[in-house]
């Protein structure tokens, strides 16, 4: 799978904390998002989901409302 640098950093963070919630602030920090680009993390997550989910029968990255994201492996 070919990943952009931001996708790779985010996936690495989620993998290190797999099965645990990773806050949006932590995701923004690792993706190096500036405040003016508020939805960059969600766009990066959506791109990762497209690249990962079609290879598996279940969703790999789950949104946890009010908490952040979680990698389910």
């Amino acid at each position: 799978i070919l990943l952009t640098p931001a996708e790779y950093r985010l996936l690495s963070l989620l993998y290190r904390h797999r099965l645990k919630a990773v806050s949006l602030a932590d995701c923004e920090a690792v993706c190096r998002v500036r405040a003016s680009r508020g939805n960059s993390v969600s766009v990066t997550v959506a791109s990762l989901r497209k690249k990962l989910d079609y290879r598996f029968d279940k969703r790999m990255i789950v949104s946890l409302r009010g908490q952040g994201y979680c990698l389910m492996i």
Side-chain angles (χ1 to χ4, degrees), residues 51-73:
K51 292 177 181 183
L52 294 175
D53 288 351
Y54 83 94
R55 295 178 182 262
F56 301 98
D57 293 335
K58 63 178 184 172
R59 254 190 137 156
M60 302 302 293
I61 300 173
V62 178
S63 300
L64 302 173
R65 188 175 181 144
Q67 296 180 29
Y69 297 99
C70 179
L71 185 63
M72 302 300 289
I73 59 167

PDB file of all heavy atoms in Angstrom, residues 51-73:
ATOM      1  N   LYS A  51      -7.756   3.014   1.655  1.00  0.00           N
ATOM      2  CA  LYS A  51      -6.619   2.156   1.321  1.00  0.00           C
ATOM      3  C   LYS A  51      -6.588   0.866   2.133  1.00  0.00           C
ATOM      4  O   LYS A  51      -6.093  -0.152   1.662  1.00  0.00           O
ATOM      5  CB  LYS A  51      -5.313   2.926   1.522  1.00  0.00           C
ATOM      6  CG  LYS A  51      -5.155   4.057   0.522  1.00  0.00           C
ATOM      7  CD  LYS A  51      -3.898   4.860   0.781  1.00  0.00           C
ATOM      8  CE  LYS A  51      -3.775   5.997  -0.220  1.00  0.00           C
ATOM      9  NZ  LYS A  51      -2.547   6.758  -0.042  1.00  0.00           N
ATOM     10  N   LEU A  52      -7.112   0.890   3.366  1.00  0.00           N
ATOM     11  CA  LEU A  52      -7.049  -0.284   4.246  1.00  0.00           C
ATOM     12  C   LEU A  52      -8.308  -1.132   4.220  1.00  0.00           C
ATOM     13  O   LEU A  52      -8.233  -2.356   4.185  1.00  0.00           O
ATOM     14  CB  LEU A  52      -6.790   0.161   5.696  1.00  0.00           C
ATOM     15  CG  LEU A  52      -5.458   0.807   6.009  1.00  0.00           C
ATOM     16  CD1 LEU A  52      -5.441   1.278   7.450  1.00  0.00           C
ATOM     17  CD2 LEU A  52      -4.319  -0.151   5.755  1.00  0.00           C
ATOM     18  N   ASP A  53      -9.455  -0.491   4.271  1.00  0.00           N
ATOM     19  CA  ASP A  53     -10.700  -1.220   4.500  1.00  0.00           C
ATOM     20  C   ASP A  53     -11.080  -2.174   3.374  1.00  0.00           C
ATOM     21  O   ASP A  53     -11.691  -3.203   3.622  1.00  0.00           O
ATOM     22  CB  ASP A  53     -11.856  -0.261   4.772  1.00  0.00           C
ATOM     23  CG  ASP A  53     -11.752   0.403   6.133  1.00  0.00           C
ATOM     24  OD1 ASP A  53     -10.877  -0.009   6.928  1.00  0.00           O
ATOM     25  OD2 ASP A  53     -12.530   1.329   6.398  1.00  0.00           O
ATOM     26  N   TYR A  54     -10.735  -1.852   2.139  1.00  0.00           N
ATOM     27  CA  TYR A  54     -11.133  -2.747   1.059  1.00  0.00           C
ATOM     28  C   TYR A  54     -10.368  -4.068   1.108  1.00  0.00           C
ATOM     29  O   TYR A  54     -10.796  -5.060   0.541  1.00  0.00           O
ATOM     30  CB  TYR A  54     -10.989  -2.070  -0.305  1.00  0.00           C
ATOM     31  CG  TYR A  54      -9.605  -2.116  -0.886  1.00  0.00           C
ATOM     32  CD1 TYR A  54      -9.238  -3.135  -1.765  1.00  0.00           C
ATOM     33  CD2 TYR A  54      -8.664  -1.152  -0.568  1.00  0.00           C
ATOM     34  CE1 TYR A  54      -7.961  -3.178  -2.302  1.00  0.00           C
ATOM     35  CE2 TYR A  54      -7.394  -1.188  -1.099  1.00  0.00           C
ATOM     36  CZ  TYR A  54      -7.053  -2.200  -1.973  1.00  0.00           C
ATOM     37  OH  TYR A  54      -5.799  -2.241  -2.495  1.00  0.00           O
ATOM     38  N   ARG A  55      -9.275  -4.113   1.835  1.00  0.00           N
ATOM     39  CA  ARG A  55      -8.485  -5.339   1.958  1.00  0.00           C
ATOM     40  C   ARG A  55      -8.978  -6.254   3.078  1.00  0.00           C
ATOM     41  O   ARG A  55      -8.560  -7.392   3.176  1.00  0.00           O
ATOM     42  CB  ARG A  55      -7.021  -5.000   2.207  1.00  0.00           C
ATOM     43  CG  ARG A  55      -6.379  -4.282   1.045  1.00  0.00           C
ATOM     44  CD  ARG A  55      -4.939  -3.921   1.375  1.00  0.00           C
ATOM     45  NE  ARG A  55      -4.341  -3.193   0.296  1.00  0.00           N
ATOM     46  CZ  ARG A  55      -3.572  -3.746  -0.630  1.00  0.00           C
ATOM     47  NH1 ARG A  55      -3.308  -5.014  -0.602  1.00  0.00           N
ATOM     48  NH2 ARG A  55      -3.059  -3.004  -1.573  1.00  0.00           N
ATOM     49  N   PHE A  56      -9.840  -5.739   3.936  1.00  0.00           N
ATOM     50  CA  PHE A  56     -10.317  -6.494   5.096  1.00  0.00           C
ATOM     51  C   PHE A  56     -11.838  -6.507   5.106  1.00  0.00           C
ATOM     52  O   PHE A  56     -12.483  -5.699   4.460  1.00  0.00           O
ATOM     53  CB  PHE A  56      -9.777  -5.884   6.390  1.00  0.00           C
ATOM     54  CG  PHE A  56      -8.279  -5.843   6.454  1.00  0.00           C
ATOM     55  CD1 PHE A  56      -7.595  -4.683   6.126  1.00  0.00           C
ATOM     56  CD2 PHE A  56      -7.554  -6.961   6.819  1.00  0.00           C
ATOM     57  CE1 PHE A  56      -6.203  -4.637   6.169  1.00  0.00           C
ATOM     58  CE2 PHE A  56      -6.167  -6.934   6.867  1.00  0.00           C
ATOM     59  CZ  PHE A  56      -5.491  -5.771   6.536  1.00  0.00           C
ATOM     60  N   ASP A  57     -12.419  -7.394   5.883  1.00  0.00           N
ATOM     61  CA  ASP A  57     -13.867  -7.509   5.964  1.00  0.00           C
ATOM     62  C   ASP A  57     -14.494  -6.528   6.939  1.00  0.00           C
ATOM     63  O   ASP A  57     -15.709  -6.421   6.992  1.00  0.00           O
ATOM     64  CB  ASP A  57     -14.268  -8.934   6.387  1.00  0.00           C
ATOM     65  CG  ASP A  57     -13.934  -9.961   5.324  1.00  0.00           C
ATOM     66  OD1 ASP A  57     -13.850  -9.586   4.142  1.00  0.00           O
ATOM     67  OD2 ASP A  57     -13.752 -11.131   5.682  1.00  0.00           O
ATOM     68  N   LYS A  58     -13.687  -5.865   7.746  1.00  0.00           N
ATOM     69  CA  LYS A  58     -14.233  -4.934   8.729  1.00  0.00           C
ATOM     70  C   LYS A  58     -13.490  -3.615   8.668  1.00  0.00           C
ATOM     71  O   LYS A  58     -12.428  -3.508   8.068  1.00  0.00           O
ATOM     72  CB  LYS A  58     -14.136  -5.516  10.136  1.00  0.00           C
ATOM     73  CG  LYS A  58     -12.716  -5.758  10.614  1.00  0.00           C
ATOM     74  CD  LYS A  58     -12.688  -6.275  12.028  1.00  0.00           C
ATOM     75  CE  LYS A  58     -11.246  -6.411  12.487  1.00  0.00           C
ATOM     76  NZ  LYS A  58     -11.166  -6.720  13.887  1.00  0.00           N
ATOM     77  N   ARG A  59     -14.074  -2.610   9.304  1.00  0.00           N
ATOM     78  CA  ARG A  59     -13.433  -1.301   9.367  1.00  0.00           C
ATOM     79  C   ARG A  59     -12.232  -1.356  10.293  1.00  0.00           C
ATOM     80  O   ARG A  59     -12.332  -1.804  11.424  1.00  0.00           O
ATOM     81  CB  ARG A  59     -14.422  -0.281   9.913  1.00  0.00           C
ATOM     82  CG  ARG A  59     -14.927   0.611   8.827  1.00  0.00           C
ATOM     83  CD  ARG A  59     -15.697   1.728   9.420  1.00  0.00           C
ATOM     84  NE  ARG A  59     -15.288   2.916   8.690  1.00  0.00           N
ATOM     85  CZ  ARG A  59     -16.029   3.979   8.585  1.00  0.00           C
ATOM     86  NH1 ARG A  59     -17.164   4.039   9.189  1.00  0.00           N
ATOM     87  NH2 ARG A  59     -15.602   4.993   7.897  1.00  0.00           N
ATOM     88  N   MET A  60     -11.111  -0.865   9.830  1.00  0.00           N
ATOM     89  CA  MET A  60      -9.883  -0.909  10.618  1.00  0.00           C
ATOM     90  C   MET A  60      -9.732   0.323  11.510  1.00  0.00           C
ATOM     91  O   MET A  60      -9.229   0.223  12.613  1.00  0.00           O
ATOM     92  CB  MET A  60      -8.668  -1.026   9.700  1.00  0.00           C
ATOM     93  CG  MET A  60      -8.690  -2.254   8.799  1.00  0.00           C
ATOM     94  SD  MET A  60      -8.793  -3.796   9.686  1.00  0.00           S
ATOM     95  CE  MET A  60      -7.234  -3.837  10.489  1.00  0.00           C
ATOM     96  N   ILE A  61     -10.149   1.475  11.030  1.00  0.00           N
ATOM     97  CA  ILE A  61     -10.051   2.709  11.804  1.00  0.00           C
ATOM     98  C   ILE A  61     -11.472   3.138  12.173  1.00  0.00           C
ATOM     99  O   ILE A  61     -12.307   3.350  11.306  1.00  0.00           O
ATOM    100  CB  ILE A  61      -9.343   3.822  11.017  1.00  0.00           C
ATOM    101  CG1 ILE A  61      -7.922   3.371  10.645  1.00  0.00           C
ATOM    102  CG2 ILE A  61      -9.303   5.114  11.832  1.00  0.00           C
ATOM    103  CD1 ILE A  61      -7.191   4.326   9.731  1.00  0.00           C
ATOM    104  N   VAL A  62     -11.708   3.249  13.460  1.00  0.00           N
ATOM    105  CA  VAL A  62     -13.038   3.575  13.975  1.00  0.00           C
ATOM    106  C   VAL A  62     -13.008   4.965  14.603  1.00  0.00           C
ATOM    107  O   VAL A  62     -12.072   5.303  15.329  1.00  0.00           O
ATOM    108  CB  VAL A  62     -13.476   2.528  15.024  1.00  0.00           C
ATOM    109  CG1 VAL A  62     -14.816   2.865  15.614  1.00  0.00           C
ATOM    110  CG2 VAL A  62     -13.493   1.143  14.413  1.00  0.00           C
ATOM    111  N   SER A  63     -14.030   5.758  14.324  1.00  0.00           N
ATOM    112  CA  SER A  63     -14.191   7.068  14.970  1.00  0.00           C
ATOM    113  C   SER A  63     -14.891   6.866  16.303  1.00  0.00           C
ATOM    114  O   SER A  63     -15.922   6.199  16.363  1.00  0.00           O
ATOM    115  CB  SER A  63     -15.045   7.992  14.104  1.00  0.00           C
ATOM    116  OG  SER A  63     -14.446   8.182  12.857  1.00  0.00           O
ATOM    117  N   LEU A  64     -14.330   7.429  17.335  1.00  0.00           N
ATOM    118  CA  LEU A  64     -14.937   7.367  18.666  1.00  0.00           C
ATOM    119  C   LEU A  64     -15.386   8.772  19.021  1.00  0.00           C
ATOM    120  O   LEU A  64     -14.549   9.637  19.323  1.00  0.00           O
ATOM    121  CB  LEU A  64     -13.932   6.827  19.692  1.00  0.00           C
ATOM    122  CG  LEU A  64     -13.358   5.451  19.386  1.00  0.00           C
ATOM    123  CD1 LEU A  64     -12.254   5.108  20.366  1.00  0.00           C
ATOM    124  CD2 LEU A  64     -14.458   4.411  19.436  1.00  0.00           C
ATOM    125  N   ARG A  65     -16.676   8.994  18.973  1.00  0.00           N
ATOM    126  CA  ARG A  65     -17.222  10.336  19.171  1.00  0.00           C
ATOM    127  C   ARG A  65     -16.754  10.934  20.497  1.00  0.00           C
ATOM    128  O   ARG A  65     -16.882  10.312  21.553  1.00  0.00           O
ATOM    129  CB  ARG A  65     -18.735  10.277  19.124  1.00  0.00           C
ATOM    130  CG  ARG A  65     -19.359  11.631  19.136  1.00  0.00           C
ATOM    131  CD  ARG A  65     -20.836  11.539  18.973  1.00  0.00           C
ATOM    132  NE  ARG A  65     -21.383  12.882  18.980  1.00  0.00           N
ATOM    133  CZ  ARG A  65     -22.395  13.252  18.257  1.00  0.00           C
ATOM    134  NH1 ARG A  65     -23.003  12.387  17.480  1.00  0.00           N
ATOM    135  NH2 ARG A  65     -22.833  14.476  18.328  1.00  0.00           N
ATOM    136  N   GLY A  66     -16.180  12.127  20.394  1.00  0.00           N
ATOM    137  CA  GLY A  66     -15.711  12.836  21.575  1.00  0.00           C
ATOM    138  C   GLY A  66     -14.370  12.348  22.101  1.00  0.00           C
ATOM    139  O   GLY A  66     -13.848  12.896  23.061  1.00  0.00           O
ATOM    140  N   GLN A  67     -13.794  11.292  21.482  1.00  0.00           N
ATOM    141  CA  GLN A  67     -12.526  10.752  21.959  1.00  0.00           C
ATOM    142  C   GLN A  67     -11.439  10.809  20.896  1.00  0.00           C
ATOM    143  O   GLN A  67     -10.285  11.067  21.212  1.00  0.00           O
ATOM    144  CB  GLN A  67     -12.709   9.318  22.421  1.00  0.00           C
ATOM    145  CG  GLN A  67     -13.622   9.179  23.615  1.00  0.00           C
ATOM    146  CD  GLN A  67     -13.761   7.739  24.035  1.00  0.00           C
ATOM    147  OE1 GLN A  67     -12.865   6.926  23.847  1.00  0.00           O
ATOM    148  NE2 GLN A  67     -14.900   7.421  24.603  1.00  0.00           N
ATOM    149  N   GLY A  68     -11.746  10.490  19.659  1.00  0.00           N
ATOM    150  CA  GLY A  68     -10.765  10.478  18.587  1.00  0.00           C
ATOM    151  C   GLY A  68     -10.927   9.280  17.696  1.00  0.00           C
ATOM    152  O   GLY A  68     -12.044   8.947  17.291  1.00  0.00           O
ATOM    153  N   TYR A  69      -9.824   8.607  17.414  1.00  0.00           N
ATOM    154  CA  TYR A  69      -9.825   7.443  16.506  1.00  0.00           C
ATOM    155  C   TYR A  69      -9.168   6.249  17.173  1.00  0.00           C
ATOM    156  O   TYR A  69      -8.340   6.407  18.066  1.00  0.00           O
ATOM    157  CB  TYR A  69      -9.074   7.793  15.216  1.00  0.00           C
ATOM    158  CG  TYR A  69      -9.725   8.896  14.428  1.00  0.00           C
ATOM    159  CD1 TYR A  69      -9.262  10.203  14.511  1.00  0.00           C
ATOM    160  CD2 TYR A  69     -10.806   8.640  13.599  1.00  0.00           C
ATOM    161  CE1 TYR A  69      -9.859  11.218  13.791  1.00  0.00           C
ATOM    162  CE2 TYR A  69     -11.409   9.649  12.877  1.00  0.00           C
ATOM    163  CZ  TYR A  69     -10.938  10.943  12.973  1.00  0.00           C
ATOM    164  OH  TYR A  69     -11.539  11.944  12.269  1.00  0.00           O
ATOM    165  N   CYS A  70      -9.514   5.067  16.678  1.00  0.00           N
ATOM    166  CA  CYS A  70      -8.969   3.833  17.228  1.00  0.00           C
ATOM    167  C   CYS A  70      -8.701   2.859  16.087  1.00  0.00           C
ATOM    168  O   CYS A  70      -9.524   2.706  15.187  1.00  0.00           O
ATOM    169  CB  CYS A  70      -9.971   3.236  18.208  1.00  0.00           C
ATOM    170  SG  CYS A  70      -9.428   1.692  18.950  1.00  0.00           S
ATOM    171  N   LEU A  71      -7.542   2.200  16.111  1.00  0.00           N
ATOM    172  CA  LEU A  71      -7.200   1.174  15.148  1.00  0.00           C
ATOM    173  C   LEU A  71      -7.613  -0.179  15.736  1.00  0.00           C
ATOM    174  O   LEU A  71      -7.155  -0.556  16.801  1.00  0.00           O
ATOM    175  CB  LEU A  71      -5.698   1.187  14.848  1.00  0.00           C
ATOM    176  CG  LEU A  71      -5.215   0.238  13.760  1.00  0.00           C
ATOM    177  CD1 LEU A  71      -5.822   0.582  12.408  1.00  0.00           C
ATOM    178  CD2 LEU A  71      -3.703   0.259  13.680  1.00  0.00           C
ATOM    179  N   MET A  72      -8.474  -0.889  15.034  1.00  0.00           N
ATOM    180  CA  MET A  72      -9.075  -2.110  15.548  1.00  0.00           C
ATOM    181  C   MET A  72      -8.364  -3.374  15.037  1.00  0.00           C
ATOM    182  O   MET A  72      -8.955  -4.176  14.326  1.00  0.00           O
ATOM    183  CB  MET A  72     -10.567  -2.163  15.183  1.00  0.00           C
ATOM    184  CG  MET A  72     -11.354  -0.983  15.691  1.00  0.00           C
ATOM    185  SD  MET A  72     -11.329  -0.808  17.476  1.00  0.00           S
ATOM    186  CE  MET A  72     -12.356  -2.177  17.947  1.00  0.00           C
ATOM    187  N   ILE A  73      -7.093  -3.508  15.382  1.00  0.00           N
ATOM    188  CA  ILE A  73      -6.380  -4.758  15.043  1.00  0.00           C
ATOM    189  C   ILE A  73      -5.619  -5.247  16.260  1.00  0.00           C
ATOM    190  O   ILE A  73      -5.362  -4.534  17.171  1.00  0.00           O
ATOM    191  CB  ILE A  73      -5.399  -4.605  13.865  1.00  0.00           C
ATOM    192  CG1 ILE A  73      -4.328  -3.558  14.142  1.00  0.00           C
ATOM    193  CG2 ILE A  73      -6.149  -4.281  12.605  1.00  0.00           C
ATOM    194  CD1 ILE A  73      -3.201  -3.617  13.167  1.00  0.00           C
TER     195      ILE A  73
END
